[in-house]
Amino acid sequence: MLFISFFCSCKHWLIWQVHFFSFFLFFFLLLSEVLVEDSTACFYKALGQLQEIWDSIGIPEDHRLQRVQVSGCLLDMMIAEEKSLKERLLKRIDSYQKEQDTLIKELKLEPFLEREETTMLELEQDLQTQIEELKRQKEERLQEQKLLQEQDQKLCEILCVLPYGLDNDSVLSIEELNQFRNYLAALEETKASRWEDFVSTKKQILLCMEDLGHTPETDFERDVVYKNEETFCLSLENLTALKNLLLQLEMEKAENEAVCKGLRSRIRELWLWLQISTQEREALAMFMTGSKAKIRKVLQLDMDRLEDLRIQNLKKMIEASKVELALYWEKCFYSQQQKEAFTYYYNEDYTEILLKLHGEEIVKLKQYYKLHKELFEGVQKWEKNWRLFLEFERKASDPSRFMNRGGNLLKEEKQRAKLQKILPKLEEELKAQIEMWEKEHSKAFVVNGQKFIEYIMEQWEMFHLKKDKEEQERQLKKNQQTGAEMLYSSRSKILCKKQGLRPNSSGKGYKVTKLYLVKKSDSCSEKYCLGKGSKNIQNGSLLAWKV
């Protein structure tokens, strides 16, 4: 009732203000019934209190209208302020959305799904929460990206490779970060593999340098030996250079070993040639193994010393070479013509060149003998048996063999028979081997300047000729002896009559100074000289006379 009486006393413009407030209340009613009820109650209560105050004070109507206008202005200001708040809210939401879009683009994420039927304040709150989360993710990624880049930089410096291609102003996505991690893991494996190769190769290089007494000469060698291993660049170029350095040192070491081996071989030869004492040799025993630079130096000095002695004893050395050369001539069954082909053998001008020529000829003969060793050994075996056979044949024709005791004659006969079987068998085997060798080498195998088969035939032919000659000589000698015996028989009878000698009935023989015994048999007669001295010759089949 107070509200109605109050408005009745106002003029028409006051009625408009009341309508405005009614419209305002109706608008709030549409928004929220509870809010409108509370607002209306408050509004009426406030108007009632104002009316009572104004009545008690006695404020005129025009002044009351002025005060009502002030309240209308306050509402206008309130509406304007809320509109401004809404506009600011919309601007902030737009800014947040732009910032969110930028962060999503930087982080390469999918856009967030907005909630349905949300207010601007809720939207703002959601955007703020999402932006904070995106900023947190960005910070974490940037921090991890920085750490990965630092790790990449260290690995690149060690491995001497280009850094991972990154834009410092961009933020890596989760997938890109995983790729970066995998790349760095692969680099770590490469580093570990190269580091193992480097350490192993360096160890071998240091051992080779120690053996060779090698001092680092180049900057690279000094870096390998003296530089801190952790700072050594493990690039492919450096590792290749490292391998090449090791290969070079190993070649030098192998060469050094070969040189030391040659020096030792030469020293041993000089020991033999110079007839160095065992005590002097033992002084060098500790240097006869190994190939270090120190050992090589000692061996070189000792060899030089022995070479000086060798020069001093050059004549003795050349004579020893000639003996060795003659030995190989014999082993290789050289003919006289082949021997004479090496004219330096007969040179007596003892020089270093002459010794070298003899040494080269000996090496050539050694190789020739080694190449045909099997055949030469077969020929030597045949020669040995052949000489033994000739010796037995000689003994077989020697009458004194019948004077031997102990069964030697029977043994010799058995050996001679055995050799008569062995020789043809050896000849057949050698013939087959020689034919195979000649077919393989397309040249003739010669012994003493002629084919071996011809040589064997010649030896047999010479043997038979000699046998025939000896047989003829024995026959001639037999004929001469028979004539002499007949002549002596007639002369001895005359001599006995003159000196009055008679046969000794007691069975004792004559005293003579030299006797010839003639053994009479059915096939032939053989004469033996018994030598000087007194002999009692029994009467029988032996005939004696004084010479």
Side-chain angles (χ1 to χ4, degrees):
M1 293 297 291
L2 291 173
F3 179 75
I4 295 172
S5 62
F6 174 76
F7 275 98
C8 288
S9 61
C10 293
K11 291 184 179 181
H12 294 288
W13 58 269
L14 184 60
I15 296 174
W16 182 87
Q17 292 289 340
V18 172
H19 284 296
F20 173 77
F21 285 114
S22 299
F23 175 78
F24 179 76
L25 293 173
F26 177 76
F27 175 75
F28 276 97
L29 179 64
L30 293 176
L31 294 177
S32 174
E33 292 181 0
V34 176
L35 181 62
V36 170
E37 290 178 359
D38 293 341
S39 299
T40 303
C42 291
F43 182 72
Y44 284 137
K45 183 178 180 181
L47 286 177
Q49 291 177 355
L50 285 173
Q51 184 66 30
E52 291 178 358
I53 294 171
W54 289 341
D55 289 339
S56 61
I57 296 174
I59 295 177
E61 290 294 329
D62 55 347
H63 288 275
R64 294 184 180 184
L65 289 174
Q66 291 178 357
R67 284 172 169 75
V68 171
Q69 288 177 352
V70 170
S71 63
C73 291
L74 290 174
L75 289 175
D76 290 339
M77 290 175 62
M78 180 178 177
I79 291 171
E81 183 177 352
E82 294 301 321
K83 285 183 179 179
S84 175
L85 175 63
K86 180 180 178 181
E87 289 176 359
R88 291 197 304 274
L89 186 61
L90 289 173
K91 287 181 180 179
R92 286 200 302 272
I93 289 173
D94 183 63
S95 175
Y96 288 153
Q97 286 177 337
K98 289 180 180 179
E99 185 178 2
Q100 182 191 49
D101 293 339
T102 301
L103 289 171
I104 288 174
K105 186 177 179 181
E106 287 180 352
L107 297 175
K108 300 178 180 63
L109 296 174
E110 295 293 332
F112 288 99
L113 295 177
E114 295 182 0
R115 291 187 299 172
E116 296 181 358
E117 299 179 358
T118 181
T119 64
M120 286 187 289
L121 288 174
E122 291 174 342
L123 179 60
E124 182 187 26
Q125 185 66 32
D126 290 343
L127 288 173
Q128 288 178 346
T129 303
Q130 292 171 4
I131 288 172
E132 288 177 0
E133 176 64 21
L134 290 173
K135 286 182 177 180
R136 184 188 64 78
Q137 291 186 22
K138 180 179 179 181
E139 183 66 22
E140 289 179 355
R141 289 194 194 179
L142 288 174
Q143 186 175 0
E144 183 178 4
Q145 182 176 333
K146 182 180 179 182
L147 293 175
L148 292 176
Q149 284 180 317
E150 291 175 356
Q151 183 182 359
D152 180 48
Q153 183 64 31
K154 291 179 181 179
L155 289 172
C156 290
E157 291 176 358
I158 294 174
L159 298 177
C160 297
V161 294
L162 295 176
Y164 191 76
L166 289 178
D167 184 3
N168 294 328
D169 297 331
S170 65
V171 181
L172 297 180
S173 65
I174 295 176
E175 182 179 358
E176 289 173 340
L177 280 175
N178 289 332
Q179 292 177 354
F180 198 8
R181 293 190 199 100
N182 294 335
Y183 171 77
L184 293 178
L187 280 186
E188 287 289 352
E189 292 180 359
T190 303
K191 174 190 172 184
S193 175
R194 292 186 184 180
W195 174 259
E196 185 178 354
D197 288 346
F198 166 69
V199 172
S200 175
T201 307
K202 179 180 177 179
K203 183 177 179 181
Q204 297 178 59
I205 286 174
L206 293 177
L207 290 175
C208 288
M209 284 185 172
E210 182 182 358
D211 289 343
L212 294 170
H214 180 83
T215 303
E217 299 173 352
T218 64
D219 292 338
F220 179 75
E221 291 180 4
R222 283 188 284 270
D223 288 344
V224 171
V225 176
Y226 304 122
K227 194 175 181 180
N228 186 3
E229 294 180 352
E230 299 293 338
T231 60
F232 185 82
C233 179
L234 299 176
S235 66
L236 290 176
E237 292 78 8
N238 280 356
L239 290 179
T240 302
L242 203 65
K243 294 288 185 182
N244 292 335
L245 176 60
L246 176 60
L247 181 61
Q248 177 185 349
L249 292 174
E250 286 178 341
M251 291 175 63
E252 292 179 8
K253 183 178 178 181
E255 181 182 354
N256 202 46
E257 289 175 352
V259 170
C260 289
K261 183 178 179 181
L263 289 173
R264 292 188 186 98
S265 177
R266 183 59 178 165
I267 286 172
R268 290 189 183 98
E269 291 178 1
L270 292 171
W271 280 349
L272 294 175
W273 288 353
L274 296 172
Q275 298 179 357
I276 301 299
S277 65
T278 305
Q279 183 178 1
E280 188 175 349
R281 296 183 188 185
E282 290 177 352
L284 198 68
M286 61 180 297
F287 300 101
M288 295 306 285
T289 55
S291 58
K292 292 186 176 181
K294 179 181 178 182
I295 294 176
R296 177 177 176 177
K297 184 178 180 180
V298 172
L299 291 174
Q300 185 67 51
L301 290 173
D302 195 68
M303 195 199 73
D304 293 340
R305 180 182 65 83
L306 293 174
E307 287 289 353
D308 291 338
L309 291 175
R310 182 183 64 87
I311 293 173
Q312 297 172 11
N313 297 274
L314 198 56
K315 180 177 179 180
K316 184 179 179 181
M317 303 284 288
I318 292 176
E319 292 296 336
S321 297
K322 288 183 178 181
V323 171
E324 186 177 3
L325 184 61
L327 178 63
Y328 274 97
W329 278 347
E330 184 179 351
K331 284 185 176 182
C332 297
F333 299 96
Y334 261 38
S335 64
Q336 186 62 31
Q337 184 178 1
Q338 288 176 302
K339 295 176 183 179
E340 291 175 355
F342 185 67
T343 57
Y344 300 105
Y345 183 81
Y346 308 98
N347 191 340
E348 295 184 357
D349 183 14
Y350 300 104
T351 62
E352 191 77 22
I353 297 175
L354 185 64
L355 181 61
K356 181 180 178 182
L357 292 171
H358 278 74
E360 291 174 354
E361 186 68 15
I362 289 172
V363 171
K364 184 177 74 173
L365 277 175
K366 283 181 178 179
Q367 293 176 350
Y368 178 72
Y369 178 76
K370 183 178 180 180
L371 184 63
H372 309 88
K373 184 177 180 181
E374 186 177 355
L375 288 178
F376 285 137
E377 287 179 349
V379 173
Q380 288 172 357
K381 185 176 179 181
W382 182 88
E383 284 276 358
K384 181 179 178 181
N385 285 280
W386 176 253
R387 286 193 294 269
L388 193 58
F389 172 73
L390 293 179
E391 180 64 20
F392 285 142
E393 286 295 325
R394 184 189 66 78
K395 289 182 177 180
S397 62
D398 187 3
S400 63
R401 69 191 182 111
F402 294 105
M403 305 295 291
N404 294 332
R405 297 180 180 179
N408 290 334
L409 182 60
L410 181 59
K411 292 180 182 179
E412 291 176 359
E413 285 297 327
K414 287 182 179 180
Q415 290 179 356
R416 188 160 68 96
K418 183 179 179 181
L419 286 172
Q420 287 176 343
K421 295 179 181 179
I422 291 176
L423 282 173
K425 184 178 180 180
L426 282 175
E427 291 167 6
E428 288 298 325
E429 292 176 356
L430 282 172
K431 182 179 179 182
Q433 292 177 3
I434 289 171
E435 287 177 353
M436 187 181 299
W437 184 91
E438 289 179 344
K439 184 177 181 181
E440 181 180 350
H441 293 82
S442 301
K443 62 180 181 179
F445 182 78
V446 296
V447 173
N448 293 330
Q450 62 181 138
K451 292 183 177 181
F452 182 65
I453 304 301
E454 295 177 358
Y455 174 73
I456 291 176
M457 293 173 61
E458 181 179 310
Q459 294 297 314
W460 278 108
E461 185 178 353
M462 290 172 62
F463 170 72
H464 291 302
L465 289 174
K466 184 178 179 182
K467 290 286 288 184
D468 292 342
K469 183 178 179 181
E470 289 177 351
E471 183 64 29
Q472 292 175 5
E473 290 177 352
R474 281 198 301 269
Q475 190 64 36
L476 180 60
K477 197 170 184 180
K478 177 182 175 183
N479 295 337
Q480 291 176 352
Q481 184 178 348
T482 303
E485 287 177 355
M486 292 175 63
L487 179 61
Y488 177 75
S489 178
S490 60
R491 288 182 179 180
S492 62
K493 289 179 181 180
I494 297 170
L495 183 60
C496 289
K497 287 179 180 180
K498 289 181 179 181
Q499 296 181 357
L501 295 176
R502 295 288 185 272
N504 194 344
S505 58
S506 63
K508 296 181 179 180
Y510 303 103
K511 183 178 181 181
V512 296
T513 60
K514 190 173 183 180
L515 303 178
Y516 284 92
L517 304 183
V518 180
K519 180 181 178 183
K520 295 183 179 180
S521 63
D522 297 336
S523 60
C524 62
S525 62
E526 297 180 0
K527 182 176 67 174
Y528 306 95
C529 179
L530 301 182
K532 294 183 179 181
S534 300
K535 274 289 185 180
N536 292 325
I537 307 302
Q538 300 291 334
N539 293 329
S541 61
L542 298 178
L543 179 65
W545 65 90
K546 183 179 181 182
V547 179

